[in-house]
Amino acid sequence: MATSEDVVDDAAGRTAPVRPAVLRGQGPAVAVIAVGGAIGALARYGAGLLWGTAPEAFPWTTLLVNVVGCAVIGVFLVVITEARPAHPLLRPFFGTGVLGGFTTFSTYAVDIRRLLEAGRLGPGLAYLGLTLLGALGAVWAAAVLTRRLLRRGPGAGAR
């Protein structure tokens, strides 16, 4: 097994470090995830600016961002896995990058801790449950609805 310190001699006698096998060929995926993550994080930041939440208030913005992001991933994954082939970098760009940067489960954890440390057990537990149920429900409902719409197909009309 090669390590990052191994070297390879080429025909001209030059040596170069060998990249670990796990990193070979991953540059494009890492790049699109990074770009997508920046876009998603900017969108989340924009949501926070448009609908700011005071530190002592219930974190509605983070809850909404996480539920909306989960609904979008439900639609996205159904479309790219069941409806139409997608470019191999679309899933890492949009699914991992954009939606990973947009949703913010680290802030969710910090918000719960903040509420609990402030002695707001009820709101903290409500937020914990609402986010979990909202996120799971959103991804499930969006996937089911998307599948139904795709089965109907274009021009099928209302049934």
Side-chain angles (χ1 to χ4, degrees):
M1 182 162 123
T3 68
S4 61
E5 286 145 39
D6 292 336
V7 292
V8 173
D9 290 317
D10 66 8
R14 295 178 294 221
T15 60
V18 174
R19 289 189 292 167
V22 72
L23 298 178
R24 288 189 199 124
Q26 297 300 315
V30 171
V32 298
I33 290 169
V35 170
I39 292 167
L42 287 170
R44 176 174 24 101
Y45 179 71
L49 290 177
L50 289 173
W51 190 15
T53 303
E56 67 281 353
F58 190 86
W60 288 109
T61 305
T62 304
L63 174 65
L64 180 67
V65 161
N66 287 335
V67 171
V68 167
C70 287
V72 172
I73 201 144
V75 171
F76 174 67
L77 287 176
V78 168
V79 169
I80 68 164
T81 60
E82 299 175 22
R84 57 185 337 178
H87 188 281
L89 293 176
L90 181 60
R91 185 182 227 161
F93 168 73
F94 191 74
T96 303
V98 174
L99 294 176
F102 181 67
T103 58
T104 175
F105 287 92
S106 58
T107 301
Y108 162 65
V110 170
D111 286 342
I112 292 168
R113 182 176 178 177
R114 181 183 47 78
L115 289 167
L116 296 177
E117 286 176 348
R120 301 184 64 207
L121 181 63
L125 292 176
Y127 179 53
L128 177 81
L130 280 170
T131 299
L132 177 64
L133 295 175
L136 291 174
V139 76
W140 175 80
V144 167
L145 181 61
T146 302
R147 282 188 186 104
R148 284 185 186 160
L149 292 172
L150 288 174
R151 267 189 243 125
R152 225 181 238 187
R159 293 184 183 165

